[in-house]
Amino acid sequence: MKNILITGGAGFIGSNFCHYWAHKYPQDKLIVLDLLTYAGHRENIQSLENAQSFIFVQGDIGDQVLVESLFELHQINTVIHFAAESHVDRSIHGPDAFIQTNIMGTHSLLKAAKKFWLDAGVSDHHFHHVSTDEVYGSLEADSPAFTESTPFSPNSPYSASKAASDHLVRAYHHTYGLKVTTSNCSNNYGPYQDNEKLIPLVIHNILQGKALPIYGDGKNIRDWLYVEDHCRAIDLILHKGKIGEVYNVGGENEWRNIDIVNLICEKVDKALSETPQLIAMFPDAPYAKGGQAKSLITFVKDRPGHDRRYAIDPSKCHAQLGYHPVESFETGIIKTIDWMLHNQNNRRQNSNTAK
Protein backbone atom coordinates (compact mmCIF):
# COMPACT_ATOMS: atom_id res chain seq x y z
CA MET A 1 0.00 0.00 0.00
CA LYS A 2 1.21 3.47 -0.92
CA ASN A 3 0.60 6.66 1.04
CA ILE A 4 0.91 9.18 -1.77
CA LEU A 5 1.30 12.93 -1.43
CA ILE A 6 -0.01 14.47 -4.65
CA THR A 7 0.92 18.13 -4.92
CA GLY A 8 -1.28 20.25 -7.17
CA GLY A 9 -3.90 17.52 -7.10
CA ALA A 10 -6.79 19.93 -7.66
CA GLY A 11 -5.24 21.30 -10.83
CA PHE A 12 -5.67 20.04 -14.36
CA ILE A 13 -3.22 17.15 -14.67
CA GLY A 14 -3.15 16.48 -10.93
CA SER A 15 -6.92 16.05 -10.63
CA ASN A 16 -7.01 13.74 -13.64
CA PHE A 17 -4.26 11.70 -12.03
CA CYS A 18 -6.21 11.51 -8.75
CA HIS A 19 -9.24 10.11 -10.56
CA TYR A 20 -7.08 7.69 -12.53
CA TRP A 21 -5.18 6.41 -9.49
CA ALA A 22 -8.17 6.20 -7.13
CA HIS A 23 -10.01 4.08 -9.71
CA LYS A 24 -7.10 1.77 -10.51
CA TYR A 25 -5.50 1.48 -7.06
CA PRO A 26 -8.30 1.99 -4.49
CA GLN A 27 -6.20 0.44 -1.74
CA ASP A 28 -3.73 3.35 -1.80
CA LYS A 29 -4.14 6.46 0.35
CA LEU A 30 -4.08 9.78 -1.51
CA ILE A 31 -3.21 13.02 0.27
CA VAL A 32 -3.73 16.02 -2.00
CA LEU A 33 -1.95 19.28 -1.19
CA ASP A 34 -3.12 22.24 -3.27
CA LEU A 35 -3.16 25.99 -2.64
CA LEU A 36 -6.23 26.43 -4.88
CA THR A 37 -4.87 29.34 -6.86
CA TYR A 38 -6.45 30.39 -10.18
CA ALA A 39 -5.82 26.99 -11.80
CA GLY A 40 -6.76 24.75 -8.88
CA HIS A 41 -10.45 23.91 -8.38
CA ARG A 42 -11.62 21.73 -5.53
CA GLU A 43 -14.68 20.70 -7.55
CA ASN A 44 -12.25 18.81 -9.83
CA ILE A 45 -11.78 16.22 -7.08
CA GLN A 46 -15.04 16.64 -5.19
CA SER A 47 -16.34 13.22 -6.19
CA LEU A 48 -13.32 11.59 -4.53
CA GLU A 49 -13.57 13.29 -1.17
CA ASN A 50 -16.07 10.88 0.38
CA ALA A 51 -13.55 8.05 0.25
CA GLN A 52 -11.72 7.31 3.49
CA SER A 53 -8.54 6.82 1.51
CA PHE A 54 -8.65 10.39 0.10
CA ILE A 55 -7.61 13.50 2.05
CA PHE A 56 -7.53 17.06 0.77
CA VAL A 57 -5.35 19.73 2.38
CA GLN A 58 -5.38 23.33 1.20
CA GLY A 59 -1.90 24.72 1.55
CA ASP A 60 1.35 25.85 -0.02
CA ILE A 61 4.12 23.43 -0.98
CA GLY A 62 6.51 26.17 0.18
CA ASP A 63 5.16 25.93 3.74
CA GLN A 64 7.88 23.73 5.22
CA VAL A 65 6.08 23.15 8.51
CA LEU A 66 2.91 22.04 6.74
CA VAL A 67 4.73 19.79 4.29
CA GLU A 68 6.70 18.08 7.07
CA SER A 69 3.55 17.62 9.14
CA LEU A 70 1.92 15.78 6.24
CA PHE A 71 4.94 13.51 5.81
CA GLU A 72 4.83 12.65 9.51
CA LEU A 73 1.07 12.38 10.03
CA HIS A 74 0.34 10.27 6.96
CA GLN A 75 3.61 8.31 6.75
CA ILE A 76 4.12 9.44 3.17
CA ASN A 77 6.20 7.02 1.11
CA THR A 78 5.51 8.38 -2.39
CA VAL A 79 5.40 11.95 -3.73
CA ILE A 80 3.99 12.83 -7.13
CA HIS A 81 4.80 16.48 -7.67
CA PHE A 82 2.46 18.26 -10.09
CA ALA A 83 2.18 21.61 -8.30
CA ALA A 84 3.57 24.44 -10.40
CA GLU A 85 2.90 27.84 -11.81
CA SER A 86 2.64 26.90 -15.47
CA HIS A 87 1.29 29.66 -17.69
CA VAL A 88 3.95 31.29 -19.85
CA ASP A 89 2.13 34.61 -20.21
CA ARG A 90 1.80 34.93 -16.45
CA SER A 91 5.51 34.19 -16.03
CA ILE A 92 6.40 36.99 -18.43
CA HIS A 93 4.37 39.55 -16.50
CA GLY A 94 4.99 38.22 -12.99
CA PRO A 95 7.98 35.86 -12.72
CA ASP A 96 8.35 36.05 -8.92
CA ALA A 97 5.54 33.58 -8.25
CA PHE A 98 7.16 31.07 -10.62
CA ILE A 99 10.50 31.27 -8.84
CA GLN A 100 8.81 30.88 -5.47
CA THR A 101 6.54 27.95 -6.33
CA ASN A 102 8.49 26.03 -8.94
CA ILE A 103 11.95 26.34 -7.41
CA MET A 104 11.54 27.06 -3.70
CA GLY A 105 8.38 24.93 -3.41
CA THR A 106 10.10 21.95 -5.04
CA HIS A 107 13.05 22.39 -2.70
CA SER A 108 10.69 22.41 0.28
CA LEU A 109 9.35 19.01 -0.78
CA LEU A 110 12.81 17.62 -1.38
CA LYS A 111 14.00 18.73 2.05
CA ALA A 112 11.03 17.03 3.68
CA ALA A 113 11.64 13.86 1.67
CA LYS A 114 15.28 13.78 2.71
CA LYS A 115 14.37 14.34 6.37
CA PHE A 116 11.62 11.72 6.62
CA TRP A 117 13.06 9.15 4.23
CA LEU A 118 16.83 9.28 3.98
CA ASP A 119 17.65 10.68 7.41
CA ALA A 120 15.17 8.24 8.98
CA GLY A 121 16.49 5.24 7.06
CA VAL A 122 13.31 4.66 5.03
CA SER A 123 14.46 2.83 1.91
CA ASP A 124 11.02 2.20 0.39
CA HIS A 125 10.22 5.63 -1.07
CA HIS A 126 9.77 7.36 -4.42
CA PHE A 127 9.72 11.02 -5.44
CA HIS A 128 8.33 11.60 -8.92
CA HIS A 129 8.71 15.06 -10.41
CA VAL A 130 6.43 16.15 -13.27
CA SER A 131 8.08 18.62 -15.64
CA THR A 132 7.69 20.01 -19.15
CA ASP A 133 9.25 19.80 -22.60
CA GLU A 134 9.67 23.58 -22.47
CA VAL A 135 12.88 23.19 -20.47
CA TYR A 136 14.56 22.13 -23.73
CA GLY A 137 13.81 25.38 -25.54
CA SER A 138 12.52 25.73 -29.09
CA LEU A 139 12.94 23.59 -32.21
CA GLU A 140 13.21 24.52 -35.86
CA ALA A 141 10.72 22.94 -38.24
CA ASP A 142 13.20 20.28 -39.42
CA SER A 143 14.99 19.68 -36.10
CA PRO A 144 14.82 16.25 -34.44
CA ALA A 145 12.48 15.98 -31.46
CA PHE A 146 13.64 16.45 -27.87
CA THR A 147 15.27 13.46 -26.22
CA GLU A 148 16.21 13.02 -22.57
CA SER A 149 19.78 14.09 -23.45
CA THR A 150 18.78 17.34 -25.19
CA PRO A 151 20.54 20.23 -23.39
CA PHE A 152 18.30 22.55 -21.41
CA SER A 153 17.69 25.90 -23.09
CA PRO A 154 14.62 27.48 -21.44
CA ASN A 155 13.29 30.67 -23.01
CA SER A 156 10.70 31.96 -20.52
CA PRO A 157 10.70 32.55 -16.76
CA TYR A 158 8.29 29.62 -16.51
CA SER A 159 10.49 27.13 -18.35
CA ALA A 160 13.61 28.43 -16.59
CA SER A 161 11.99 27.83 -13.20
CA LYS A 162 10.97 24.31 -14.22
CA ALA A 163 14.49 23.60 -15.48
CA ALA A 164 15.84 24.69 -12.11
CA SER A 165 13.44 22.36 -10.31
CA ASP A 166 14.49 19.47 -12.58
CA HIS A 167 18.12 20.11 -11.63
CA LEU A 168 17.26 20.16 -7.92
CA VAL A 169 15.51 16.79 -8.14
CA ARG A 170 18.45 15.31 -10.00
CA ALA A 171 20.89 16.75 -7.47
CA TYR A 172 19.03 15.24 -4.51
CA HIS A 173 19.33 11.84 -6.17
CA HIS A 174 23.01 12.09 -7.04
CA THR A 175 24.11 13.83 -3.85
CA TYR A 176 21.93 12.22 -1.20
CA GLY A 177 20.60 9.07 -2.87
CA LEU A 178 16.95 10.13 -2.89
CA LYS A 179 14.94 7.75 -5.08
CA VAL A 180 13.58 10.01 -7.81
CA THR A 181 12.23 9.92 -11.33
CA THR A 182 11.31 12.83 -13.59
CA SER A 183 8.99 13.06 -16.56
CA ASN A 184 9.04 15.87 -19.13
CA CYS A 185 5.74 15.94 -20.97
CA SER A 186 4.39 17.66 -24.05
CA ASN A 187 1.27 19.87 -24.05
CA ASN A 188 -1.61 18.17 -22.25
CA TYR A 189 -5.30 18.57 -23.00
CA GLY A 190 -8.52 17.02 -21.69
CA PRO A 191 -11.09 17.39 -18.88
CA TYR A 192 -10.63 19.87 -16.00
CA GLN A 193 -8.17 22.11 -17.86
CA ASP A 194 -8.33 25.82 -16.97
CA ASN A 195 -9.75 28.11 -19.64
CA GLU A 196 -6.54 30.10 -20.07
CA LYS A 197 -4.94 27.26 -22.07
CA LEU A 198 -5.36 27.00 -25.84
CA ILE A 199 -7.84 24.15 -26.27
CA PRO A 200 -10.31 24.94 -23.46
CA LEU A 201 -10.02 28.65 -24.24
CA VAL A 202 -11.02 28.09 -27.87
CA ILE A 203 -13.95 25.86 -26.92
CA HIS A 204 -15.12 28.27 -24.21
CA ASN A 205 -14.89 31.32 -26.46
CA ILE A 206 -16.76 29.63 -29.31
CA LEU A 207 -19.61 28.76 -26.97
CA GLN A 208 -19.69 32.34 -25.66
CA GLY A 209 -19.36 33.90 -29.11
CA LYS A 210 -16.07 35.57 -28.20
CA ALA A 211 -12.99 36.16 -30.37
CA LEU A 212 -10.45 33.35 -30.75
CA PRO A 213 -7.16 35.26 -30.30
CA ILE A 214 -4.23 33.50 -31.96
CA TYR A 215 -0.66 34.66 -31.44
CA GLY A 216 1.39 35.70 -34.48
CA ASP A 217 0.75 33.63 -37.60
CA GLY A 218 -0.65 30.66 -35.66
CA LYS A 219 2.00 28.33 -37.04
CA ASN A 220 3.67 27.53 -33.71
CA ILE A 221 3.81 23.75 -33.35
CA ARG A 222 3.16 21.69 -30.23
CA ASP A 223 3.07 17.96 -29.51
CA TRP A 224 -0.31 17.22 -27.90
CA LEU A 225 -0.87 14.57 -25.22
CA TYR A 226 -4.28 13.53 -23.90
CA VAL A 227 -4.13 13.87 -20.14
CA GLU A 228 -5.18 10.30 -19.31
CA ASP A 229 -2.35 9.01 -21.50
CA HIS A 230 -0.02 11.15 -19.39
CA CYS A 231 -1.46 9.57 -16.22
CA ARG A 232 -0.83 6.12 -17.67
CA ALA A 233 2.77 7.06 -18.40
CA ILE A 234 3.38 8.20 -14.82
CA ASP A 235 1.85 4.94 -13.58
CA LEU A 236 4.32 3.00 -15.72
CA ILE A 237 7.25 5.13 -14.54
CA LEU A 238 6.34 4.52 -10.90
CA HIS A 239 6.11 0.76 -11.41
CA LYS A 240 8.71 0.08 -14.12
CA GLY A 241 10.92 3.15 -14.38
CA LYS A 242 14.54 3.19 -13.33
CA ILE A 243 15.39 5.32 -10.30
CA GLY A 244 17.31 8.46 -11.20
CA GLU A 245 16.08 8.44 -14.80
CA VAL A 246 14.24 11.05 -16.85
CA TYR A 247 11.43 10.03 -19.22
CA ASN A 248 10.05 12.17 -22.04
CA VAL A 249 6.29 11.61 -22.38
CA GLY A 250 4.81 12.72 -25.68
CA GLY A 251 1.62 12.27 -27.65
CA GLU A 252 3.43 11.67 -30.98
CA ASN A 253 1.01 14.24 -32.28
CA GLU A 254 2.39 17.53 -33.63
CA TRP A 255 -0.10 20.21 -34.66
CA ARG A 256 0.11 23.85 -35.63
CA ASN A 257 -1.96 26.08 -33.36
CA ILE A 258 -4.06 27.42 -36.23
CA ASP A 259 -4.87 23.90 -37.43
CA ILE A 260 -6.02 22.92 -33.94
CA VAL A 261 -8.26 25.98 -33.74
CA ASN A 262 -9.79 25.21 -37.14
CA LEU A 263 -10.41 21.59 -36.13
CA ILE A 264 -12.07 22.61 -32.87
CA CYS A 265 -14.28 25.09 -34.73
CA GLU A 266 -15.46 22.32 -37.04
CA LYS A 267 -16.07 19.85 -34.22
CA VAL A 268 -17.99 22.32 -32.03
CA ASP A 269 -20.18 23.37 -34.97
CA LYS A 270 -20.82 19.71 -35.73
CA ALA A 271 -21.72 18.94 -32.10
CA LEU A 272 -24.23 21.80 -32.02
CA SER A 273 -25.73 20.74 -35.36
CA GLU A 274 -26.32 17.22 -34.06
CA THR A 275 -27.78 18.21 -30.67
CA PRO A 276 -30.38 20.99 -30.77
CA GLN A 277 -30.42 21.19 -26.96
CA LEU A 278 -26.87 22.55 -27.09
CA ILE A 279 -28.01 25.46 -29.24
CA ALA A 280 -30.42 26.44 -26.48
CA MET A 281 -27.63 26.09 -23.91
CA PHE A 282 -25.18 28.20 -25.92
CA PRO A 283 -27.22 30.79 -27.85
CA ASP A 284 -24.18 33.04 -28.37
CA ALA A 285 -22.22 30.41 -30.30
CA PRO A 286 -21.91 31.37 -33.99
CA TYR A 287 -23.65 28.17 -35.13
CA ALA A 288 -26.68 29.05 -32.99
CA LYS A 289 -26.96 32.27 -35.00
CA GLY A 290 -26.52 30.67 -38.40
CA GLY A 291 -22.76 31.28 -38.62
CA GLN A 292 -19.51 29.35 -38.25
CA ALA A 293 -17.09 29.26 -35.34
CA LYS A 294 -14.17 30.03 -37.67
CA SER A 295 -15.51 33.56 -38.04
CA LEU A 296 -14.26 34.25 -34.51
CA ILE A 297 -10.57 33.64 -35.34
CA THR A 298 -8.50 36.76 -34.68
CA PHE A 299 -4.73 37.05 -35.08
CA VAL A 300 -3.02 39.16 -32.41
CA LYS A 301 0.52 40.38 -31.75
CA ASP A 302 2.89 37.57 -30.85
CA ARG A 303 4.10 37.33 -27.28
CA PRO A 304 7.78 37.93 -26.38
CA GLY A 305 10.07 34.94 -26.84
CA HIS A 306 7.34 32.67 -28.22
CA ASP A 307 8.92 29.25 -28.86
CA ARG A 308 8.25 28.06 -32.40
CA ARG A 309 8.05 24.31 -31.97
CA TYR A 310 8.13 21.62 -29.29
CA ALA A 311 8.28 17.92 -30.07
CA ILE A 312 8.98 14.92 -27.85
CA ASP A 313 10.86 11.77 -28.84
CA PRO A 314 9.21 9.14 -26.58
CA SER A 315 11.33 6.19 -27.73
CA LYS A 316 12.80 5.67 -24.24
CA CYS A 317 9.27 5.30 -22.81
CA HIS A 318 8.49 2.84 -25.58
CA ALA A 319 11.58 0.73 -25.01
CA GLN A 320 11.76 0.72 -21.20
CA LEU A 321 8.11 1.06 -20.17
CA GLY A 322 6.10 -0.25 -23.11
CA TYR A 323 4.29 3.08 -23.19
CA HIS A 324 2.29 4.28 -26.18
CA PRO A 325 -0.53 6.84 -26.12
CA VAL A 326 -4.00 5.30 -26.44
CA GLU A 327 -5.83 8.38 -27.68
CA SER A 328 -5.32 9.88 -31.11
CA PHE A 329 -5.83 13.61 -31.35
CA GLU A 330 -9.08 12.98 -33.22
CA THR A 331 -10.53 10.85 -30.41
CA GLY A 332 -9.04 12.93 -27.60
CA ILE A 333 -10.34 16.25 -28.89
CA ILE A 334 -13.87 14.85 -29.29
CA LYS A 335 -13.79 13.63 -25.67
CA THR A 336 -12.51 17.03 -24.53
CA ILE A 337 -15.16 18.99 -26.43
CA ASP A 338 -17.90 16.68 -25.16
CA TRP A 339 -16.72 17.14 -21.56
CA MET A 340 -16.66 20.92 -21.90
CA LEU A 341 -20.08 21.04 -23.53
CA HIS A 342 -21.54 19.28 -20.51
CA ASN A 343 -19.46 21.04 -17.85
CA GLN A 344 -18.92 24.51 -19.26
CA ASN A 345 -21.41 26.26 -17.00
CA ASN A 346 -19.56 24.91 -13.95
CA ARG A 347 -16.13 26.11 -15.03
CA ARG A 348 -14.44 29.35 -14.05
CA GLN A 349 -14.75 31.90 -16.84
CA ASN A 350 -11.47 33.08 -18.32
CA SER A 351 -10.55 34.61 -21.68
CA ASN A 352 -6.82 35.08 -21.84
CA THR A 353 -4.98 34.74 -25.15
CA ALA A 354 -4.35 31.19 -26.29
CA LYS A 355 -0.98 29.60 -25.61
Side-chain angles (χ1 to χ4, degrees):
M1 174 178 169
K2 290 181 174 21
N3 297 329
I4 307 176
L5 177 62
I6 302 177
T7 70
F12 165 44
I13 305 175
S15 62
N16 275 278
F17 184 83
C18 287
H19 286 282
Y20 170 90
W21 200 271
H23 175 74
K24 188 171 182 181
Y25 304 104
Q27 73 279 7
D28 289 344
K29 184 176 180 180
L30 305 183
I31 299 91
V32 168
L33 176 60
D34 199 299
L35 190 56
L36 298 182
T37 58
Y38 67 93
H41 307 284
R42 191 162 178 178
E43 59 265 29
N44 291 353
I45 52 172
Q46 194 169 22
S47 63
L48 300 174
E49 293 200 48
N50 291 329
Q52 291 185 340
S53 59
F54 188 91
I55 296 171
F56 174 78
V57 179
Q58 184 173 352
D60 191 342
I61 59 172
D63 183 341
Q64 194 70 42
V65 174
L66 173 61
V67 168
E68 292 188 4
S69 72
L70 294 177
F71 267 79
E72 184 172 24
L73 177 63
H74 299 290
Q75 297 296 292
I76 301 297
N77 53 33
T78 304
V79 171
I80 305 174
H81 178 31
F82 292 101
E85 293 282 349
S86 65
H87 196 247
V88 175
D89 283 359
R90 289 177 182 266
S91 80
I92 292 171
H93 299 294
D96 288 5
F98 290 74
I99 304 304
Q100 188 63 41
T101 298
N102 298 353
I103 301 176
M104 301 305 295
T106 299
H107 192 219
S108 174
L109 293 166
L110 289 167
K111 287 190 293 182
K114 178 179 179 296
K115 177 179 178 179
F116 286 92
W117 295 342
L118 299 182
D119 297 350
V122 177
S123 59
D124 184 16
H125 67 261
H126 195 148
F127 188 110
H128 181 72
H129 175 58
V130 180
S131 191
T132 171
D133 57 1
E134 296 190 42
V135 300
Y136 299 121
S138 182
L139 291 170
E140 298 298 327
D142 58 350
S143 298
F146 300 130
T147 70
E148 289 81 0
S149 60
T150 299
F152 281 13
S153 184
N155 291 320
S156 70
Y158 160 60
S159 56
S161 66
K162 288 298 290 183
S165 67
D166 289 13
H167 286 312
L168 280 171
V169 172
R170 183 180 187 276
Y172 264 71
H173 170 67
H174 285 274
T175 300
Y176 303 114
L178 192 70
K179 294 180 179 178
V180 308
T181 47
T182 295
S183 55
N184 294 85
C185 68
S186 55
N187 279 32
N188 280 220
Y189 69 101
Y192 303 114
Q193 190 167 28
D194 201 73
N195 284 346
E196 70 181 1
K197 300 291 187 174
L198 174 61
I199 288 175
L201 170 66
V202 170
I203 299 169
H204 166 77
N205 280 16
I206 292 171
L207 297 176
Q208 299 300 317
K210 297 180 179 180
L212 307 180
I214 309 300
Y215 279 131
D217 60 7
K219 295 180 181 179
N220 301 76
I221 296 172
R222 300 293 183 262
D223 176 15
W224 291 92
L225 173 67
Y226 190 66
V227 65
E228 188 169 328
D229 280 330
H230 186 188
C231 296
R232 290 178 50 251
I234 294 173
D235 184 358
L236 288 168
I237 292 169
L238 289 170
H239 286 100
K240 301 170 94 174
K242 182 179 178 182
I243 294 299
E245 291 291 299
V246 174
Y247 294 90
N248 280 355
V249 181
E252 302 175 65
N253 186 33
E254 291 186 55
W255 282 71
R256 300 189 308 174
N257 286 350
I258 187 60
D259 295 331
I260 284 183
V261 174
N262 281 320
L263 177 66
I264 293 173
C265 287
E266 293 172 6
K267 296 297 184 184
V268 173
D269 285 350
K270 184 173 186 292
L272 267 62
S273 73
E274 294 174 345
T275 310
Q277 298 94 315
L278 292 174
I279 295 176
M281 291 172 61
F282 303 106
D284 294 322
Y287 186 85
K289 299 178 178 181
Q292 293 185 321
K294 289 181 181 180
S295 66
L296 299 172
I297 294 175
T298 304
F299 291 92
V300 300
K301 182 180 178 181
D302 210 353
R303 72 172 175 223
H306 197 181
D307 290 337
R308 195 62 172 173
R309 173 177 169 245
Y310 306 141
I312 284 284
D313 177 353
S315 55
K316 183 175 178 179
C317 277
H318 295 172
Q320 294 191 15
L321 308 176
Y323 168 79
H324 293 274
V326 171
E327 298 292 344
S328 68
F329 193 71
E330 188 78 12
T331 61
I333 201 64
I334 291 173
K335 287 184 176 182
T336 303
I337 291 170
D338 183 67
W339 186 88
M340 287 199 67
L341 286 171
H342 293 91
N343 292 273
Q344 181 63 24
N345 292 331
N346 299 323
R347 301 298 295 159
R348 183 174 298 183
Q349 307 303 303
N350 200 320
S351 58
N352 292 328
T353 306
K355 181 177 178 183

